[in-house]
Structure formats: structure tokens, C-alpha cells
Amino acid sequence: QVRLVESGGGLVQAGGSLKLSCVASGRTFSSLFMGWFRKPPGKDLEFIGVIGGRGQSTSVADSVKGRFTISRDNAKNTSYLQMNYLKPEDTAYYYCVADINPHPRDQEAEYEYWGQGTQVTVSS
């Protein structure tokens, strides 16, 4: 019922910045928690962070805290992942996710809707 489309991935040098966007459609955007996961090559899926429908309950994983910021613009039905001070280990396929009320917030099984993903590659 909900369609998520990511954009903004690409190549960036270590220390640089990149901003991912996720446009949602299919239901009232403000009713959805919007989150981000990533899948490094050959490694497990990793939770990045999530933000509540009105910007409440924002959380970011310790591995990216201080470097990554999640935000949303409900007027545009869009969530964002701002990534700063990127490291080679940030190289991964990044997924936008959504759910009405994910709990626990960091579990992939809690998110019903997933985008197609976008590749982020950080060169050293």
C-alpha cells in the first residue's frame, strides 16, 4: 500500500557528505515512522535510524551517531538521511523503510514497507 523511492546515492570520497531522500506515497505520510537501514557488501543488514511521524522519537545507531542525521518534511512526503564525515565502512546499499509503529525500532522485521535501495560508495 505504501511505495517508497530512494534517491541521492552515489560515489563520495572519505570525509565527504551525501544526502539521501525517500519519497513516500500510498497513505498519510505523517502516520508513518520513517527509517533507514543499510547492507554493506558481505555483511548483515544494519539499522541506521528512525524518525516518528511528526518528528518525534528520533533515534540514530551508535555507529553513525554524530555523523548521520535523520529528518523529514511532511509537506513533501519525504524523509532524509544526511550523511557527513563519511568513511569507507559506510559503503553499503541503503534502504528507506516505513511502518505505522515499529517496535523495537531497530528490527527489520518491524518495518512493513521497504524502498528499492540506493548504493552509497565511499572511497578512501
Side-chain angles (χ1 to χ4, degrees):
Q1 193 68 32
V2 175
R3 180 170 179 256
L4 306 174
V5 180
E6 303 97 331
S7 63
L11 298 169
V12 64
Q13 292 184 345
S17 298
L18 202 62
K19 187 175 184 178
L20 306 183
S21 299
C22 176
V23 179
S25 62
R27 69 177 297 158
T28 303
F29 184 67
S30 62
S31 71
L32 295 169
F33 283 74
M34 300 295 297
W36 294 88
F37 283 80
R38 68 184 181 184
K39 178 67 168 65
K43 299 182 179 180
D44 293 337
L45 193 68
E46 178 186 11
F47 171 77
I48 297 173
V50 65
I51 186 169
R54 302 291 186 179
Q56 82 281 18
S57 302
T58 300
S59 64
V60 178
D62 289 341
S63 61
V64 300
K65 190 168 295 183
R67 299 188 299 120
F68 290 12
T69 302
I70 293 177
S71 62
R72 66 192 296 156
D73 185 344
N74 286 359
K76 298 180 178 179
N77 284 7
T78 302
S79 65
Y80 303 95
L81 179 64
Q82 177 67 53
M83 303 182 290
N84 299 322
Y85 309 105
L86 283 161
K87 306 174 181 179
E89 53 262 43
D90 293 320
T91 295
Y93 211 74
Y94 284 71
Y95 295 93
C96 172
V97 300
D99 200 82
I100 296 175
N101 188 24
H103 183 75
R105 306 291 189 224
D106 62 346
Q107 300 298 304
E108 59 264 34
E110 293 297 314
Y111 293 89
E112 182 174 1
Y113 307 107
W114 290 70
Q116 82 287 351
T118 186
Q119 178 68 41
V120 173
T121 302
V122 184
S123 62
S124 60

